[in-house]
């Protein structure tokens, strides 16, 4: 239960940051710079362990991460710095899917348990995976049914939730390979930024592409 409270607190903190970012573009810019710097530092730490003194692979992996995180930040900037209410609602929609995916997976996984999903992350179960989809899907329909057609909500919720879960597993895999428990210590009681925002990093760009091109 204590871990669930931590997750909820992190989610509320993220929503507060989003609110402040909408109200103040300088705050948004500063937040994105700090987010990028800390995330790249955590990625670089993992790469140094995985590739052990192979400077070329460390540099290449870090460079790719910088490009990806820059793209991620630009997407956030476009959404939150927009004067369009549709753009702002869209990013809140995507963020809530990720938050509810994380919460649903934890709640269902703890309450029901059952068969493990993968060896990559021993705490992940099939019940947690289904819970992630159920939480994000039902909540999306309830909260955004006045803004988007039901078919669109179902489509986006499932795909973005799947992308968020993939991001979670990807970071878990990297931690497992590098034999570390947390990606950092920036969030007391939580670990690093990548420990908490792993799903967002993958899901937000995918959600953005879906919204723009589908």
């Amino acid at each position: 239960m204590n871990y669930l409270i931590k997750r909820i607190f992190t989610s509320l903190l993220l929503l507060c940051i989003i609110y402040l970012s909408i109200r103040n573009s300088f705050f948004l810019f500063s937040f994105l710079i700090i987010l990028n710097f800390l995330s790249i530092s955590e990625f670089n730490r993992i790469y140094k362990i995985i590739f052990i003194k192979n400077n070329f692979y460390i540099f290449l992996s870090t460079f790719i991460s910088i490009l990806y995180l820059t793209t991620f930040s630009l997407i956030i900037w476009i959404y939150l710095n927009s004067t369009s209410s549709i753009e702002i609602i869209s990013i809140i929609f995507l963020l809530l899917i990720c938050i509810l995916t994380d919460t649903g997976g934890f709640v269902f996984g703890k309450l029901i348990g059952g068969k493990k999903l993968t060896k990559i992350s021993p705490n992940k179960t099939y019940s947690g995976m289904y819970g992630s989809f159920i939480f994000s899907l039902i909540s999306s329909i309830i909260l955004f049914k006045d803004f988007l057609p039901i078919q669109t909500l179902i489509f986006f919720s499932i795909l973005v939730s799947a992308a968020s879960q993939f991001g979670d597993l990807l970071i878990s895999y990297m931690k497992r390979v590098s034999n570390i428990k947390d990606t950092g210590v920036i969030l007391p009681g939580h670990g690093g930024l990548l420990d908490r925002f792993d799903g967002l990093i993958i899901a937000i760009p995918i959600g953005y592409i879906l919204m723009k091109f589908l």
Side-chain angles (χ1 to χ4, degrees):
M1 183 61 67
N2 186 47
Y3 194 55
L4 176 60
I5 292 173
K6 290 179 181 179
R7 283 172 176 259
I8 293 173
F9 174 78
T10 303
S11 299
L12 292 174
L13 177 62
L14 178 60
L15 290 175
C16 289
I17 290 172
I18 295 302
Y19 173 76
L20 292 173
S21 298
I22 294 171
R23 304 279 297 182
N24 189 304
S25 58
F26 178 75
F27 178 88
L28 173 60
F29 179 78
S30 302
F31 170 69
L32 290 174
I33 292 295
I34 294 171
L35 180 68
N36 269 277
F37 176 78
L38 294 175
S39 297
I40 291 167
S41 298
E42 291 181 11
F43 270 123
N44 184 252
R45 176 195 173 209
I46 293 173
Y47 297 144
K48 285 181 178 178
I49 298 173
I50 294 175
F51 297 119
I52 309 175
K53 296 183 179 180
N54 190 323
N55 292 328
F56 173 75
Y57 284 114
I58 293 172
F59 170 79
L60 181 62
S61 301
T62 303
F63 180 70
I64 292 172
S65 296
I66 291 173
L67 289 179
Y68 186 84
L69 288 170
T70 300
T71 303
F72 171 80
S73 297
L74 285 173
I75 292 171
I76 299 294
W77 176 266
I78 290 170
Y79 271 125
L80 293 183
N81 204 40
S82 172
T83 56
S84 169
S85 58
I86 298 299
E87 295 283 334
I88 295 173
I89 290 172
S90 296
I91 190 63
I92 293 174
F93 171 61
L94 293 176
L95 287 169
L96 280 177
I97 290 177
C98 295
I99 290 171
L100 293 165
T101 291
D102 185 59
T103 304
F106 179 80
V107 171
F108 271 61
K110 285 295 182 182
L111 292 179
I112 300 176
K115 187 177 180 181
K116 301 299 181 182
L117 180 63
T118 173
K119 293 181 180 179
I120 293 174
S121 183
N123 294 325
K124 298 290 188 298
T125 61
Y126 279 96
S127 61
M129 179 186 70
Y130 298 139
S132 294
F133 285 120
I134 292 170
F135 257 53
S136 59
L137 182 58
I138 293 177
S139 300
S140 296
I141 293 174
I142 293 173
L143 295 173
F144 296 95
K145 63 182 183 333
D146 294 331
F147 300 99
L148 292 168
I150 298 296
Q151 298 92 328
T152 303
L153 285 173
I154 293 173
F155 175 76
F156 275 101
S157 296
I158 292 175
L159 287 185
V160 175
S161 179
S164 181
Q165 293 182 64
F166 173 76
D168 189 355
L169 289 174
L170 177 62
I171 298 300
S172 294
Y173 174 74
M174 293 175 68
K175 289 193 294 184
R176 189 176 182 84
V177 171
S178 55
N179 196 31
I180 59 175
K181 182 178 182 293
D182 298 318
T183 60
V185 294
I186 190 65
L187 300 173
H190 296 265
L193 286 177
L194 298 179
D195 290 308
R196 290 282 66 86
F197 302 139
D198 43 13
L200 288 172
I201 292 174
I202 300 296
I204 296 299
I206 289 178
Y208 176 82
I209 292 171
L210 290 173
M211 285 184 170
K212 290 298 181 182
F213 299 105
L214 294 182

